[in-house]
Amino acid sequence: MELDGLLTWLYEAALSTNIREIEWLFPMIESLHVLAVTVFLGSIVWVDLRILGVANKDRDIRRFSKELLPITWTMFVIAVITGLALFTSNAVNYAHNIYFQFKILLLILSGINMLVFQLWFSARTEAYDPSHAARISTGNLAGMGKFRQKLHQISFFWSGKWSALLSILLWMIVIGLGQWIGFSMLPTVVR
Ligand code: HEM
């Protein structure tokens, strides 16, 4: 199969051979991967909890997420680079591992969820304001026209809280799958 040919080529490349054969290299890269993942996810969950109104309620959400964004992106890039390095060391087996496949699928879904949130919901930041949310949930919208009331109610329910909840859930599953890859791997292909 063509894809397996490419994966075998990757497996045999000098870099992958070194990662596989130098005793301390794989654990070192994996530690870096876990460190990057921890900080990356920490920054995401922090913002998700703010959106859900669980933590950091007093902080301005736009400023808060803007401050964290450089950390999120830097750590994401490190997680992807180290993840790819780990992958190349045993490319054929990882690619055929069901947990790895699901992990990548959920990574993509989480990315789409983040994009949807950024593009669609984040403009509606007023809906995350607890006093505003309280007004809407209690139906206390006096002084607003009917159309504005409807708009505010819709924007509250589509305010991104679902997206934040989904984000936490998806990332937790990605972590679980990431862990499970190691437990379920086939023995290394010896050629
Ligand atoms: C950015 C989001 C990511 C998260 C949250 C994540 C999470 C994890 C976790 C929790 C582990 C287990 C570490 C351990 O047991 O010590 C792991 C290992 C691993 N990850 Fe990731 N990862 C991410 C991205 C990637 C990417 C983009 C790739 C490759 C394309 C990748 C490939 C791997 C590989 C090959 C392992 C080693 C599995 C093993 O044999 O133990 N990861 N990841």
Side-chain angles (χ1 to χ4, degrees):
M1 200 184 155
E2 233 170 71
L3 184 63
D4 274 350
L6 180 72
L7 294 169
T8 308
W9 173 81
L10 250 183
Y11 176 88
E12 285 169 350
L15 179 71
S16 338
T17 309
N18 281 333
I19 296 173
R20 196 170 47 247
E21 288 180 2
I22 300 176
E23 210 179 329
W24 52 267
L25 201 48
F26 187 98
M28 206 189 81
I29 297 173
E30 190 161 29
S31 303
L32 266 179
H33 188 63
V34 172
L35 263 176
V37 162
T38 309
V39 180
F40 162 70
L41 287 191
S43 68
I44 289 185
V45 171
W46 214 225
V47 174
D48 287 339
L49 291 177
R50 169 65 185 88
I51 292 168
L52 288 167
V54 174
N56 298 295
K57 285 187 238 176
D58 306 333
R59 302 195 67 184
D60 177 74
I61 192 156
R62 256 186 288 205
R63 237 185 95 188
F64 184 48
S65 57
K66 214 169 147 191
E67 279 166 11
L68 285 175
L69 211 59
I71 300 176
T72 311
W73 272 111
T74 309
M75 292 302 148
F76 177 70
V77 171
I78 296 175
V80 171
I81 294 172
T82 48
L84 283 171
L86 296 173
F87 174 79
T88 59
S89 73
N90 206 348
V92 182
N93 283 345
Y94 281 129
H96 286 275
N97 181 290
I98 188 78
Y99 300 100
F100 180 82
Q101 292 166 357
F102 266 114
K103 174 178 159 175
I104 297 301
L105 181 73
L106 287 191
L107 259 176
I108 294 168
L109 286 181
S110 303
I112 293 172
N113 181 46
M114 266 162 69
L115 254 183
V116 169
F117 175 79
Q118 285 294 327
L119 295 177
W120 179 250
F121 298 122
S122 61
R124 302 163 185 231
T125 42
E126 62 170 357
Y128 311 132
D129 176 350
S131 63
H132 182 83
R135 271 188 76 201
I136 294 170
S137 59
T138 54
N140 177 16
L141 294 171
M144 273 188 202
K146 273 244 165 327
F147 180 70
R148 274 198 71 201
Q149 277 190 25
K150 216 47 278 112
L151 210 67
H152 274 244
Q153 271 159 346
I154 292 170
S155 84
F156 176 65
F157 286 111
W158 291 97
S159 63
K161 286 183 191 246
W162 292 114
S163 183
L165 211 61
L166 189 66
S167 160
I168 293 178
L169 193 75
L170 284 175
W171 285 119
M172 274 169 60
I173 301 174
V174 172
I175 295 269
L177 289 169
Q179 279 278 321
W180 211 252
I181 301 168
F183 292 114
S184 62
M185 279 292 284
L186 299 167
T188 307
V189 180
V190 181
R191 316 181 90 251

